[in-house]
Amino acid sequence: MNVPSNKLKRPLEPKKVIGITVVLLAALVATIILSLLLGTVNITFRELRQVLFESREGSASLIVLKIRLPRIMLAGLSGFSLSLGGLIFQAILRNPLADPFILGVSSGAAFGAVLAIMCGLGFALGVPLFSFAGALLTIGIVWAMGRGRVGMESSTIILAGVIINAFFTSVIMFFIAISSDDRLHTMLFWLYGDLSQSRYGQSAMIAPFVIIGFVALYGFSRHLNIMTSGHEAALQMGVDVKRVKGVCFIIVSLLMGLVVSLSGLIGFVGLIVPHLARMALGTDHRLLMPVSALGGAIFLIAADTVARTIMAPSELPVGVVTAFLGAPFFIYLLKVRGSRWGRS
Amino acid sequence: MGPILKIEKVAFRYVSEWVLDGIDLEVNRGEVVGILGPNGSGKSTLLRVIEGLCEPERGNVFVKGTDISKLSRVSLSREVAMVQQENHFSFSFSVLEVVLMGRFPYLGNFQFEGEEDIEVARKAMTATSTLSLSGRLINELSGGEKQRVLLARALTQEPSIILLDEPTAFLDLSYKKEIFDLISSLSRQTGVSALIVTHDIDLAARYCNRLLMLRDGRLHASGLPVEVLNAANIEAIFGCKVIVDINPVSGSPRVSLI
């Protein structure tokens, strides 16, 4: 055996996590500014400064503060949650293809939301609550399908998702078929992920959940590292696997329920962003969590900006943009990278 | 000082048939004990009971005098570590990251590894000759290297006893010897005890202080290798005719099929 230097370096320092988080926060701010400027009507940087710092009234102020900013905030919070949810699922199911959308958790949440809408419940409480229940139910189904196996095989994950998605989509289509015409457009648009109706109230409602959820999940980051190497191995190292799984599933369902009830079905964010983060930075969840979450926020704000500018003055649902990018990425992951994950 | 591990009349069943039926066992500090037996004789289940993964229906397991049913997972994992037969990593961690996972029971939820944790890992990696692998990815290692890394991870838990479930199952002869060499020298140097389930009878005969033979969930024989390894016992548990003689170099019993 060759003897290397006896000095081992800590694989991850807290200051590295903080440093990278700060860089990403700066990137997030830059993305927000860019997104505020771009649109059907372009705002100049000067106008933006006047609106933000001199509270100048006018059409620029209306566009920036009443239309674009609330939308960006909701996009950011949604992207943050979707990406974080994907990362957590991937760790617990031990498969990097596990994304809330692919697994059918999002459509389960959408089913709950549509059911609540049909029952005449409001968007303030009933819809998010039903949506949360739908997400939790779906996670239960996915979990039951993969029970007792050594890591969930990609094919099982995809099959589970296909079946769950097909089922909930058919139920949703049924609801749509029996609903009145005037609501059809809104409902369909919402299903494909629509952020155009964003209001500050929505962001204010989900922000506390997102922040508390993130902190709670971050407390489990080392648990998740170990759980990716097998649940039995994790038990042997002292991880209370059942509790970690239960708490993570509830928090992620709650976030998915909230996001889906407000922004509809936006897919692939939880697949693309955590994967890129893993390729760049390795597999330690203490670093991956902030990076994936902030990366998800940046990604969805950018995707939504594209959705509303690419065919201006018409708009695309943002879910169309993410799926357009995400589906080829998914195929690439499946075919090219095979079963090797993490740093290339 | 009492035994590190004490098992009293342990019985366990998954459904109706007893997989373990009245097992008694004591392992002292620094002892290396081998468990032999045919497939399905309850060897792996015995390890799972000691790990607290299966709760025995009857009987008790004591680690350093404490009943493990009264210990939390974290407390138990500071005393008992395990090296599994096969470990699949879905995500590619570096070797050092894998070894440091063993520090889990010593760190708080929001805590990062400190200098002392690195020092424990360094010692474990030196002992298992894996220090030079520290920057490599776990998925890229050979079977023997990976097993040594997992042994290092078990050592960083600073346990009193390490359970090994067929640690040499997929290894070639030289790696098998290396793993057994390593375990016996570790137990001598650090005082850690080891309980090894294995099918490598000759290696077990040479490296284990004591051997147990399991058949249908019961203890068929136990004692020093020379006492336990005889043609009658081996035929009784494995159903094969063998001759047992003495290896002229090592002086330990040697089993050959007829």
Side-chain angles (χ1 to χ4, degrees):
Chain A
M1 287 270 82
N2 54 333
V3 183
S5 70
N6 275 358
K7 201 74 190 144
L8 276 180
K9 264 179 58 189
R10 293 209 286 174
L12 184 64
E13 307 263 355
K15 64 175 184 233
K16 182 175 174 191
V17 176
I18 294 167
I20 292 180
T21 304
V22 168
V23 169
L24 280 168
L25 279 171
L28 179 62
V29 171
T31 313
I32 291 174
I33 291 172
L34 203 63
S35 179
L36 283 172
L37 298 175
L38 296 173
T40 312
V41 178
N42 282 330
I43 307 276
T44 63
F45 199 71
R46 219 174 90 98
E47 284 172 309
L48 182 67
R49 223 175 49 210
Q50 287 167 346
V51 169
L52 293 180
F53 300 110
E54 297 162 25
S55 342
R56 187 171 294 192
E57 305 278 329
S59 66
S61 155
L62 193 71
I63 291 170
V64 167
L65 295 179
K66 288 269 154 30
I67 300 174
R68 287 188 191 161
L69 194 57
R71 181 172 182 158
I72 289 168
M73 284 172 70
L74 188 60
L77 288 164
S78 299
F80 187 99
S81 308
L82 288 167
S83 180
L84 185 62
L87 181 73
I88 303 291
F89 275 148
Q90 286 148 24
I92 292 181
L93 296 175
R94 303 178 60 200
N95 190 307
L97 294 180
D99 162 78
F101 183 74
I102 291 164
L103 286 171
V105 175
S106 301
S107 62
F111 158 72
V114 171
L115 190 68
I117 296 170
M118 297 304 292
C119 296
L121 298 172
F123 269 86
L125 186 68
V127 175
L129 207 64
F130 270 58
S131 192
F132 166 50
L136 204 57
L137 171 78
T138 321
I139 291 180
I141 297 172
V142 171
W143 182 246
M145 287 178 82
R147 247 182 116 85
R149 304 203 185 152
V150 186
M152 218 172 162
E153 293 294 326
S154 297
S155 51
T156 317
I157 298 246
I158 296 161
L159 276 178
V162 166
I163 294 160
I164 292 166
N165 270 320
F167 177 74
F168 284 125
T169 308
S170 74
V171 179
I172 292 167
M173 287 323 266
F174 171 75
F175 283 137
I176 288 174
I178 61 169
S179 72
S180 56
D181 280 353
D182 57 320
R183 304 201 58 186
L184 209 61
H185 180 78
T186 327
M187 212 134 152
L188 277 177
F189 227 72
W190 169 78
L191 264 183
Y192 283 99
D194 179 25
L195 293 164
S196 63
Q197 307 300 318
S198 311
R199 295 180 308 278
Y200 284 120
Q202 298 171 326
S203 297
M205 184 186 92
I206 72 168
F209 289 101
V210 173
I211 292 164
I212 294 169
F214 178 82
V215 173
L217 291 171
Y218 195 78
F220 286 146
S221 48
R222 266 182 329 108
H223 303 58
L224 291 173
N225 282 347
I226 297 177
M227 281 165 68
T228 61
S229 76
H231 291 181
E232 196 150 296
L235 279 170
Q236 286 151 8
M237 268 168 274
V239 180
D240 188 345
V241 171
K242 240 190 199 150
R243 200 190 62 159
V244 174
K245 235 159 37 188
V247 173
C248 285
F249 279 162
I250 289 172
I251 294 175
V252 173
S253 308
L254 184 64
L255 294 181
M256 291 307 112
L258 288 170
V259 167
V260 169
S261 68
L262 295 177
S263 341
L265 290 180
I266 301 172
F268 298 102
V269 179
L271 181 79
I272 297 174
V273 180
H275 195 87
L276 292 177
R278 230 177 259 122
M279 278 163 81
L281 297 164
T283 4
D284 195 325
H285 287 79
R286 290 174 292 191
L287 183 58
L288 277 183
M289 269 198 215
V291 169
S292 298
L294 289 171
I298 294 170
F299 176 77
L300 200 59
I301 293 171
D304 188 50
T305 310
V306 170
R308 62 187 170 79
T309 52
I310 194 164
M311 311 198 316
S314 319
E315 284 193 5
L316 283 171
V318 66
V320 170
V321 176
T322 58
F324 191 77
L325 296 170
F329 190 75
F330 181 82
I331 293 169
Y332 155 77
L333 287 186
L334 202 58
K335 293 306 289 181
V336 181
R337 292 182 63 85
S339 57
R340 289 184 60 244
W341 308 105
R343 278 162 283 203
S344 32
Chain B
M1 199 169 128
I4 293 293
L5 174 73
K6 185 174 181 189
I7 298 176
E8 272 180 1
K9 300 187 176 48
V10 159
F12 175 84
R13 55 183 165 184
Y14 288 102
V15 196
S16 60
E17 268 183 57
W18 293 103
V19 182
L20 295 174
D21 190 359
I23 303 280
D24 289 294
L25 167 66
E26 277 187 19
V27 178
N28 296 312
R29 194 180 128 84
E31 244 189 334
V32 179
V33 177
I35 304 178
L36 303 175
N39 296 325
S41 58
K43 306 181 301 289
S44 298
T45 306
L46 181 59
L47 295 192
R48 291 172 59 86
V49 166
I50 299 167
E51 259 295 316
L53 300 178
C54 296
E55 200 184 328
E57 204 168 309
R58 293 202 296 262
N60 298 90
V61 178
F62 299 93
V63 170
K64 282 181 163 173
T66 313
D67 190 327
I68 63 160
S69 64
K70 296 189 174 59
L71 289 174
S72 67
R73 283 239 65 86
V74 165
S75 319
L76 186 59
S77 61
R78 289 181 185 187
E79 300 297 343
V80 183
M82 174 124 174
V83 176
Q84 281 173 316
Q85 189 179 116
E86 212 180 0
N87 249 280
H88 174 70
F89 285 84
S90 313
F91 298 93
S92 39
F93 286 97
S94 77
V95 166
L96 180 59
E97 284 171 334
V98 170
V99 173
L100 280 170
M101 285 180 183
R103 295 309 288 168
F104 179 84
Y106 298 91
L107 293 171
N109 277 10
F110 290 92
Q111 210 179 341
F112 281 63
E113 296 91 3
E115 286 308 318
E116 61 276 33
D117 301 304
I118 299 291
E119 184 54 26
V120 173
R122 197 185 61 78
K123 276 187 186 148
M125 291 171 86
T126 309
T128 52
S129 317
T130 50
L131 205 51
S132 60
L133 304 173
S134 69
R136 301 264 301 277
L137 295 181
I138 186 78
N139 290 339
E140 292 170 355
L141 301 183
S142 72
E145 289 170 333
K146 202 163 154 183
Q147 245 5 355
R148 292 205 315 260
V149 169
L150 294 174
L151 192 56
R153 179 171 81 174
L155 285 173
T156 54
Q157 282 175 246
E158 300 188 301
S160 316
I161 182 165
I162 300 181
L163 314 177
L164 301 105
D165 191 2
E166 297 186 37
T168 54
F170 300 103
L171 305 182
D172 70 29
L173 195 59
S174 71
Y175 280 136
K176 280 180 203 279
K177 181 179 177 299
E178 190 178 279
I179 292 286
F180 271 97
D181 260 335
L182 195 56
I183 293 163
S184 91
S185 71
L186 281 173
S187 68
R188 265 180 278 119
Q189 284 161 17
T190 66
V192 68
S193 313
L195 191 57
I196 310 174
V197 164
T198 183
H199 286 301
D200 292 306
I201 301 179
D202 290 344
L203 285 166
R206 178 158 162 196
Y207 289 99
C208 293
N209 305 115
R210 272 191 301 133
L211 291 178
L212 309 176
M213 279 182 167
L214 285 188
R215 195 179 79 167
D216 299 331
R218 289 164 185 275
L219 214 53
H220 180 80
S222 81
L224 299 173
V226 281
E227 298 165 356
V228 173
L229 290 176
N230 56 53
N233 273 342
I234 289 172
E235 194 181 337
I237 69 163
F238 289 109
C240 307
K241 288 206 178 300
V242 294
I243 43 170
V244 180
D245 57 1
I246 296 295
N247 180 317
V249 180
S250 69
S252 57
R254 177 172 66 179
V255 177
S256 323
L257 283 166
I258 301 175

